[in-house]
Amino acid sequence: SAVISQKPSRDICQRGTSLTIQCQVDSQVTMMFWYRQQPGQSLTLIATANQGSEATYESGFVIDKFPISRPNLTFSTLTVSNMSPEDSSIYLCSAQRGTNEKLFFGSGTQLSVL
Amino acid sequence: AQRVTQPEKLLSVFKGAPVELKCNYSYSGSPELFWYVQYSRQRLQLLLRHISRESIKGFTADLNKGETSFHLKKPFAQEEDSAMYYCALMFSGGYNKLIFGAGTRLAVHP
């Protein structure tokens, strides 16, 4: 199994600012994913981050709003840019060692935007 | 389009009663289905996957392609089963993607 450390665990931010969320995996993984879980809703995939290439974004999510970095096989960041109250959500990172392997999840970042 | 439907937001049962959490999917290809669970104050974790055909914590789930369902069952619920349960579908779109249902909260009462 893999252990994912995600930080910060929670933050309260002002409108118009940006927050960078970090995920560190204790072993090398092929793929990392970023999800959003809005209040009372399910998890929605934001993007897939592969090392050495640009992230692939899902419909409704753009790089300018959610820039992602994946500098190596154990680390990724997601930035929520120019935040508004609608961005208040839980953001989760997950990792997968290889195709058809199960996903491991970080503990999540609870973001509140005032 | 790929979709996972969990029709019940909340399922409330008494300890010892049978449990069935419903999950239906929509996918034109060969599906790979999972159940994830999130206990209070813990992170989301894999409960079981259909290709393993295993029983975890007394839970089983059978893929029914005819009914496009992957319902989660347990014959005798325990209080410690109380949690949020998510059904998820993995499909390949150049890379593996996992999409989740809305989730069902299972509450097991003493």
Side-chain angles (χ1 to χ4, degrees):
Chain A
S1 63
V3 176
I4 303 178
S5 300
Q6 183 174 343
K7 58 180 182 181
S9 58
R10 60 178 64 237
D11 207 342
I12 300 172
C13 300
Q14 295 296 321
R15 181 195 299 263
T17 64
S18 297
L19 175 72
T20 295
I21 303 167
Q22 300 180 2
C23 268
Q24 178 75 53
V25 190
D26 68 346
S27 57
Q28 292 186 345
V29 292
T30 305
M31 305 176 78
M32 293 186 74
F33 303 86
W34 287 95
Y35 286 85
R36 181 175 72 182
Q37 186 174 24
Q38 293 180 302
Q41 298 188 28
S42 186
L43 289 80
T44 301
L45 182 62
I46 297 172
T48 300
N50 291 330
Q51 192 264 337
S53 62
E54 282 198 6
T56 303
Y57 289 82
E58 298 301 307
S59 175
F61 298 97
V62 295
I63 187 171
D64 289 345
K65 176 67 177 178
F66 298 101
I68 288 171
S69 78
R70 181 81 198 275
N72 56 53
L73 290 173
T74 64
F75 187 77
S76 179
T77 68
L78 169 77
T79 298
V80 186
S81 303
N82 188 24
M83 288 183 285
S84 66
E86 292 71 35
D87 295 319
S88 297
S89 185
I90 296 173
Y91 292 85
L92 287 153
C93 70
S94 67
Q96 185 181 36
R97 281 216 177 84
T99 304
N100 296 324
E101 294 284 321
K102 67 178 181 180
L103 255 64
F104 299 92
F105 283 85
S107 52
T109 297
Q110 173 82 59
L111 171 62
S112 298
V113 184
L114 304 178
Chain B
Q2 300 81 13
R3 182 178 298 169
V4 178
T5 303
Q6 292 180 252
E8 302 145 326
K9 283 193 172 182
L10 172 66
L11 184 62
S12 188
V13 301
F14 287 102
K15 176 182 174 181
V19 168
E20 182 179 53
L21 290 86
K22 291 184 167 43
C23 172
N24 288 90
Y25 66 90
S26 174
Y27 179 48
S28 58
S30 183
E32 187 167 354
L33 287 145
F34 303 78
W35 277 98
Y36 278 81
V37 60
Q38 188 167 27
Y39 300 101
S40 179
R41 302 181 190 282
Q42 295 186 28
R43 65 185 66 192
L44 196 62
Q45 59 186 286
L46 178 67
L47 179 63
L48 54 80
R49 57 194 300 182
H50 90 271
I51 60 172
S52 302
R53 301 187 65 80
E54 56 198 345
S55 173
I56 304 294
K57 300 184 178 182
F59 285 97
T60 59
D62 291 319
L63 177 61
N64 186 324
K65 291 188 178 181
E67 296 182 357
T68 60
S69 69
F70 188 57
H71 303 327
L72 183 68
K73 300 177 183 179
K74 185 169 182 177
F76 307 103
Q78 303 299 313
E79 289 180 68
E80 55 265 31
D81 297 326
S82 296
M84 195 74 183
Y85 291 81
Y86 294 96
C87 183
L89 167 70
M90 181 176 282
F91 62 98
S92 177
Y95 50 86
N96 288 347
K97 292 171 60 171
L98 195 66
I99 59 172
F100 288 82
T104 298
R105 180 167 297 284
L106 174 63
V108 182
H109 303 286

